[in-house]
Amino acid sequence: MTDGDHVVLLDDDGNPVGTAPKSSVHGTETALHLAFSCHVLNAHGQVLVTRRALDKKTWPGVWTNSFCGHPRPAEPVLSAVRRRGEFELGIRLTDIELALPLFRYRAVDAGGIVENEICPVYIARTDDEVAPNPLEVAEARWVDPDELGASLITTPWAFSPWLVLQSQQLRLFESPQLQRRAS
């Protein structure tokens, strides 16, 4: 097994305490581990939302932020963000900003699978055409941040719990970072 198949396990204070195979950490007893989320904007100020592939172990088919992932052991988180943007969506990222360095959540899906992550949240930009990897992404859409924000308020059950929580902390539909239009 390669390092790419492992995630970084964390203690309650967020300190690395080891690694585990990625396939073993998403179950009914999920250990706290390191992840990240990224919200991608285009030149029109739209944010990319994706619908998770139907074969995903957690929240299959649910609409979520642009993409998420797990840094490999010893991999800088920013490198992992770039790697997963290319792998999941076929895009190169620019202007990557750390928006929520200490975001943490625990959620249980309908099948009893637990997500338990310390998950720094990034905002980035791209000018690339999105080419979703079907193993990861069923659909991708560019949407207006205000419209997404309204949908998150009126139908939170239609989205991943981490997107709903992140949007509350980012104030996604009011965020100057997301509202900023390219000149």
Side-chain angles (χ1 to χ4, degrees), residues 49-72:
V49 293
T50 59
R51 190 165 68 91
R52 293 169 61 82
L54 297 176
D55 291 336
K56 296 292 280 183
K57 188 171 184 178
T58 60
W59 282 271
V62 172
W63 285 95
T64 193
N65 58 292
S66 305
F67 66 94
C68 299
H70 300 88
R72 295 172 174 156

Side-chain angles (χ1 to χ4, degrees), residues 140-160:
R141 290 191 187 149
W142 292 103
V143 298
D144 179 88
D146 287 336
E147 292 173 12
L148 175 59
S151 294
L152 289 165
I153 290 169
T154 59
T155 58
W157 46 265
F159 299 93
S160 69

Side-chain angles (χ1 to χ4, degrees), residues 31 53 115 156:
E115 284 282 13

Side-chain angles (χ1 to χ4, degrees), residues 151-170:
S151 294
L152 289 165
I153 290 169
T154 59
T155 58
W157 46 265
F159 299 93
S160 69
W162 57 91
L163 174 56
V164 173
L165 293 168
Q166 289 171 13
S167 71
Q168 292 165 356
Q169 292 182 36
L170 285 171

